[in-house]
Amino acid sequence: MTAAATGAEVFPELSRLAEVMATLRRRCPWDAEQTHRSLVQYLIEETGELVEAIETGDQDHLAEELGDLLLQVYFHAQIASEAPAGFDLDDVAAGVADKLVRRHPHVFAAETAPADLNGTWEQRKAAEKGRTSVLEGIPEQLSALARANKIISRARSRKVGVELPEQPIESAEVGSQIVALVARAQAAGIDPDQAVRDAVRDLEAAVRTAEQERP
């Protein structure tokens, strides 16, 4: 493999997959009628199946589920390419490649690697997108637990002045304590999902207040 080799030469099956997807859109009635919105359910399902394959450690299952998720990327890109002012798979690849290079100047330019890689990444991302709050850009569709994790991660990396516990804890203890809290909530007639959503809203309010009080 040489540095001058093209993507098609190195990964010919990726080009074949693109051709297969384009053919399906032209000749298969089911594939032809799909839209970005109609495919959301499959994207969520395939993502969940990929997570399961990763957690079970089955390499054959992992390869299969990565393929199914890759299909969703190709499917959405093919649909987008058919719109008058759309984009294609190459545009998608170029965009993410450019973004990775731009956000890693310590790899692709002469900058020194920052001590806080995650924090620096978040700061560059916020600057690029013109975000003024750590809450911007966090999908509402995330589960309450995933949303809490994302908000806390951003609040720490952006040095937002909210008080957060810092005591170390083991992974197994996190899981067991969450399950125990769910059991206690159920015994008390409390919806644990709702309780977490309420707590996340309180966290969001605290973040907004802290951001407004910044000098």
Side-chain angles (χ1 to χ4, degrees):
M1 185 184 302
T2 66
T6 66
E9 292 169 337
V10 178
F11 302 112
E13 293 301 320
L14 292 179
S15 296
R16 186 167 79 95
L17 177 56
E19 292 171 3
V20 168
M21 189 68 257
T23 301
L24 289 173
R25 283 287 288 177
R26 292 193 305 270
R27 298 173 59 181
C28 173
W30 185 88
D31 288 280
E33 69 180 10
Q34 298 311 306
T35 65
H36 291 304
R37 185 174 289 272
S38 72
L39 291 173
V40 168
Q41 59 182 316
Y42 305 106
L43 178 61
I44 294 171
E45 179 181 338
E46 298 300 353
T47 301
E49 291 179 0
L50 175 59
V51 171
E52 179 182 349
I54 291 171
E55 292 179 347
T56 59
D58 185 327
Q59 291 297 298
D60 291 337
H61 189 198
L62 177 59
E64 178 184 357
E65 297 304 336
L66 281 170
D68 289 343
L69 192 59
L70 182 63
L71 169 60
Q72 295 300 311
V73 174
Y74 273 61
F75 209 151
H76 282 280
Q78 177 61 37
I79 292 172
S81 73
E82 297 163 5
F87 56 85
D88 61 18
L89 189 65
D90 202 52
D91 294 322
V92 173
V96 71
D98 289 346
K99 179 166 62 177
L100 289 171
V101 171
R102 188 169 61 248
R103 293 187 187 171
H104 292 81
H106 56 286
V107 175
F108 298 101
E111 288 190 18
T112 303
D116 183 2
L117 286 169
N118 183 63
T120 302
W121 171 278
E122 287 292 348
Q123 289 165 14
R124 288 196 178 106
K125 185 175 180 180
E128 285 177 13
K129 296 182 177 294
R131 291 173 179 166
T132 58
S133 171
V134 301
L135 301 177
E136 292 180 54
I138 300 178
E140 293 288 346
Q141 292 84 353
L142 288 178
S143 68
L145 188 60
R147 188 170 177 81
N149 184 57
K150 190 67 176 177
I151 292 170
I152 290 169
S153 174
R154 284 193 179 181
R156 281 181 168 148
S157 66
R158 301 272 295 277
K159 306 291 191 297
V160 177
V162 291
E163 292 189 14
L164 297 168
E166 299 283 351
Q167 300 90 337
I169 190 171
E170 297 293 330
S171 175
E173 187 180 358
V174 172
S176 64
Q177 286 196 16
I178 289 175
V179 171
L181 282 171
V182 171
R184 291 173 61 189
Q186 194 277 333
I190 296 171
D191 179 351
D193 274 336
Q194 185 62 61
V196 176
R197 286 195 295 272
D198 290 341
V200 169
R201 289 191 185 95
D202 290 342
L203 174 61
E204 290 171 342
V207 167
R208 290 190 186 97
T209 298
E211 288 178 331
Q212 291 170 358
E213 292 175 349
R214 275 182 166 178

